[in-house]
Amino acid sequence: MQADVWSPTPVLLTVDLVILTLREGRLCVLLVERGEDPFRGMQALPGGFLNHAGEEIVDAAHRELREETALDSGWVHLEQLATYGDSGRDSRGRVVSVAHLAIAPGLPEPVAGTDAMGAAWVPADAVLSGEVELAFDHRRIVMDGIESARTKLEFSALATAFCGELFTIAELQKVYEAVWGTELDTRNFYRKVQAVKGFIIPAGSGRRTTGGRPARLYRAGPKKVLSPPLIRPGASGSEEGTGEEGE
């Protein structure tokens, strides 16, 4: 008997981008209004199919960042988040998405690309709560992206990607508060940040006035892994935000 001839299953590959930034102290995610079916007119993550079989996935992510939002990828921290491939996630066929997490400070108002009718920054909590409905499985991808960012803030220097080149510790604290969605005790936060050597470093003698006395400026240091970590309130018995030492 002749063995059955095997043929590969047709699979389409896309990239989707969870782009996060802080706007007026709130964590926001970039959404586009779909200009094509399926889900025409619904909000979705920026993204799209590979241009050709030879296009690298990371190159496709950078291309989509430029095409759909007109944002300069040079200002954006970009990393691969996860792969999503449930068989029924897209009515056009078997579509697998390689999602990416992108973070940058003070991103401008986006401009929709050729296959989107609009683009806007939307408060992340509106997506997490379901107040804003998203096409496909994009709400799940946003939830995963935000949780990844929250976890990485505990154990890595990712928080500095939300800041400009120079920042104060108070501005860094606002990043943690916006991403974690909770207020932190200022003295406790200052002490813990200073305890992680190489996390941030003083930027000379420069200072910034923000309503009170001038605050010292810092820049991102060489350390990428935080030890000790900055644990989220309520996690692992952390007492961050209580004003108690907890260590």
Side-chain angles (χ1 to χ4, degrees):
M1 294 181 62
Q2 184 176 1
D4 292 337
V5 177
W6 177 84
S7 59
T9 302
V11 176
L12 298 172
L13 188 64
T14 67
V15 293
D16 288 307
L17 305 174
V18 181
I19 307 174
L20 302 177
T21 195
L22 264 60
R23 297 180 69 81
E24 298 181 354
R26 300 182 71 182
L27 180 66
C28 293
V29 59
L30 184 65
L31 299 180
V32 298
E33 183 179 353
R34 288 186 55 78
E36 302 175 350
D37 290 326
F39 301 107
R40 179 182 174 87
M42 284 193 66
Q43 299 293 305
L45 292 171
F49 293 97
L50 297 187
N51 259 351
H52 51 80
E55 185 177 34
E56 299 296 338
I57 292 175
V58 67
D59 293 336
H62 282 291
R63 174 179 54 76
E64 287 294 338
L65 187 67
R66 294 190 303 270
E67 289 181 355
E68 293 219 28
T69 67
L71 295 177
D72 181 1
S73 61
W75 288 90
V76 179
H77 167 89
L78 184 70
E79 63 179 58
Q80 195 170 117
L81 173 62
T83 301
Y84 299 83
D86 291 353
S87 59
R89 65 184 301 271
D90 195 316
S91 61
R92 292 168 293 186
R94 189 63 186 271
V95 179
V96 175
S97 174
V98 181
H100 290 71
L101 177 64
I103 294 170
L107 292 176
E109 290 295 334
V111 178
T114 56
D115 56 353
M117 294 190 294
W121 294 106
V122 176
D125 54 9
V127 177
L128 296 178
S129 68
E131 176 185 346
V132 175
E133 295 186 8
L134 301 187
F136 305 106
D137 53 357
H138 287 187
R139 179 169 178 264
R140 173 190 172 192
I141 298 176
V142 171
M143 293 174 67
D144 290 348
I146 291 175
E147 180 56 32
S148 176
R150 287 172 172 171
T151 300
K152 286 179 180 293
L153 257 62
E154 296 185 74
F155 300 100
S156 79
L158 183 66
T160 59
F162 285 95
C163 300
E165 181 181 0
L166 302 179
F167 52 87
T168 66
I169 291 183
E171 290 167 343
L172 184 65
Q173 179 177 332
K174 290 179 180 178
V175 170
Y176 278 88
E177 291 178 332
V179 177
W180 284 348
T182 187
E183 292 185 5
L184 303 177
D185 178 78
T186 299
R187 288 183 299 174
N188 205 20
F189 180 80
Y190 182 90
R191 176 181 58 80
K192 290 192 174 187
V193 167
Q194 294 286 33
V196 184
K197 303 302 181 185
F199 175 23
I200 60 175
I201 56 177
S205 59
R207 291 180 178 269
R208 179 177 297 162
T209 302
T210 57
R213 66 178 186 177
R216 173 173 289 185
L217 292 173
Y218 293 83
R219 58 167 46 96
K223 196 162 190 177
K224 302 305 179 185
V225 177
L226 304 187
S227 180
L230 277 67
I231 303 300
R232 270 182 281 181
S236 302
S238 168
E239 299 185 33
E240 182 79 81
T242 65
E244 299 174 10
E245 291 295 319
E247 290 184 342

